[in-house]
Amino acid sequence: MSHQTGIQANNELKKYFSKCRDGKIRVLKISIENEQLTLAKHYPVKSTFDSDFDKYVPSLIVEDLPCYILYRFDTTNSLGYEWLLLSWSPDSAPVRHKMLYASTKATLKQEFGSAHIKDEMHATSKDEVCLKGYKAHVSGVNSPAPLTDREEALKELQESGHDPNYGTDARQSTMGGIAFPITESTKQGIIDLQRGSYNYLQFKIDIDEEKICLSKAAVINVSELPAQVPSDQARYHLFLFKHSHEGDHIESFVFIYSMPGYSCSIKERMMYSSCKGQFLDILENMGVAIAKRLEIDDGKELTEEYLYDEIHPKRNLHRPAFAKPKGPPNRGAKRITKAQSTQ
């Protein structure tokens, strides 16, 4: 069940999900109707993945109405056929509808079976909802993230035959920190966040597997942010803080490292502290421009006012001049005394 909406698949859709396993269905469209995930349309396999795509998919979308489209690949994994989940969320749709669909997507994946979903795609304009648009999406996902200046220098060292002891897919110790790789679902969650599917992600470290995993993805209001912070476990959080500043609408990514006092083990505290810097590098290399980095021990700190003040700190433009300390209080006029002469 989605923590955000409580919407679930109705019985007809659940039965159809089971039917999809036989490989005869190419595509199905799912809508939210009467607070339920509902089967809207479906079409059988006619030809290949590429040939069927433009035949079916563009006709399923409606200008102002979001929907989900599950499109079957011709490839299989150990569980059966693999699927593409396309989230259609046009810019012209009401914000309320876009948020409803974004926050219910996790439920749909759970109901259908996340292991069957090979790829996810978020589309906001009609020219994306075609085979050409899908291939552009694949090309964008597979292209390497731009390198930072430091990584460029390390790459040059590697190519010149030096070994800087650096890699992106394995645990490493560099610059005093530990780098665990991120999982594929973590990578996809970050991509979906940038595309507008979510405004909040939570990450945890799987200490046994030595990986950074996505533990939560949602659309929340800033007032709901404090409740996302566990009181007994460390976490990383990424929140898109939408606010107004001096008349301008601003959207700022805020990275939050929460460590609830000493209720966590020493090992957990060390892992989260050591991995933070390298994980921030990964986020920024994926194009997430972080406006503010925060460290907290209690979620109650994360009020809207606190976030605003951290991003736009108040500057004291009227600092008082240094005041010279006053002397001792006046005790009256000084008395002049003459020394008595001695004979």
Side-chain angles (χ1 to χ4, degrees), residues 77-298:
N77 61 24
S78 60
L79 298 174
Y81 280 100
E82 297 174 312
W83 293 74
L84 165 70
L85 172 57
L86 191 157
S87 299
W88 166 245
S89 186
D91 293 330
S92 56
V95 173
R96 179 171 57 87
H97 289 175
K98 289 192 281 190
M99 291 185 68
L100 181 66
Y101 275 81
S103 55
T104 307
K105 186 169 79 166
T107 300
L108 171 64
K109 290 169 64 176
Q110 182 181 339
E111 297 271 14
F112 183 72
S114 297
H116 294 277
I117 297 173
K118 178 182 178 182
D119 194 9
E120 294 183 45
M121 176 179 170
H122 185 78
T124 59
S125 61
K126 283 187 173 181
D127 58 357
E128 296 175 286
V129 189
C130 59
L131 183 62
K132 183 179 178 181
Y134 173 68
K135 290 191 172 181
H137 154 77
V138 172
S139 176
V141 169
N142 291 336
S143 61
L147 299 179
T148 63
D149 292 341
R150 176 174 173 273
E151 287 174 327
E152 288 282 7
L154 288 167
K155 183 180 177 183
E156 288 181 16
L157 283 173
Q158 287 175 320
E159 291 175 350
S160 64
H162 292 80
D163 179 15
N165 191 28
Y166 181 85
T168 57
D169 297 323
R171 176 179 174 178
Q172 63 226 262
S173 178
T174 57
M175 297 182 68
I178 297 172
F180 287 165
I182 63 173
T183 63
E184 281 301 316
S185 62
T186 302
K187 179 181 177 182
Q188 189 61 51
I190 295 166
I191 292 170
D192 286 344
L193 175 75
Q194 293 171 289
R195 290 173 177 164
S197 298
Y198 311 110
N199 68 348
Y200 171 76
L201 300 179
Q202 182 182 121
F203 310 92
K204 69 176 181 179
I205 295 177
D206 187 325
I207 295 176
D208 294 331
E209 294 291 328
E210 298 189 346
K211 293 179 180 178
I212 297 176
C213 307
L214 181 67
S215 56
K216 186 179 291 187
V219 176
I220 62 172
N221 297 318
V222 66
S223 61
E224 298 174 278
L225 184 58
Q228 311 304 317
V229 180
S231 60
D232 57 348
Q233 294 175 316
R235 288 290 187 270
Y236 301 132
H237 313 259
L238 193 57
F239 180 61
L240 183 59
F241 180 43
K242 299 180 181 181
H243 60 285
S244 296
H245 176 64
E246 297 179 349
D248 295 327
H249 176 73
I250 299 176
E251 298 185 354
S252 304
F253 281 115
V254 181
F255 177 85
I256 304 157
Y257 164 40
S258 64
M259 174 60 71
Y262 288 89
S263 59
C264 299
S265 68
I266 294 176
K267 183 177 181 180
E268 184 176 356
R269 294 172 64 84
M270 289 180 63
M271 286 297 180
Y272 275 86
S273 177
S274 299
C275 289
K276 182 185 63 172
Q278 296 287 352
F279 183 47
L280 282 163
D281 286 346
I282 292 173
L283 292 173
E284 293 182 350
N285 289 341
M286 290 184 68
V288 180
I290 297 173
K292 190 67 182 179
R293 305 173 185 184
L294 302 174
E295 294 190 16
I296 63 166
D297 54 20
D298 193 323

Side-chain angles (χ1 to χ4, degrees), residues 221-223 225-226 239 241-244 300-311:
N221 297 318
V222 66
S223 61
L225 184 58
F239 180 61
F241 180 43
K242 299 180 181 181
H243 60 285
S244 296
K300 294 176 183 177
E301 299 176 48
L302 298 175
T303 63
E304 183 172 5
E305 182 181 7
Y306 173 72
L307 294 179
Y308 181 90
D309 288 344
E310 286 292 326
I311 295 174

Side-chain angles (χ1 to χ4, degrees), residues 318-330:
H318 302 287
R319 296 174 63 188
F322 176 74
K324 183 179 179 181
K326 294 181 179 179
N330 190 353

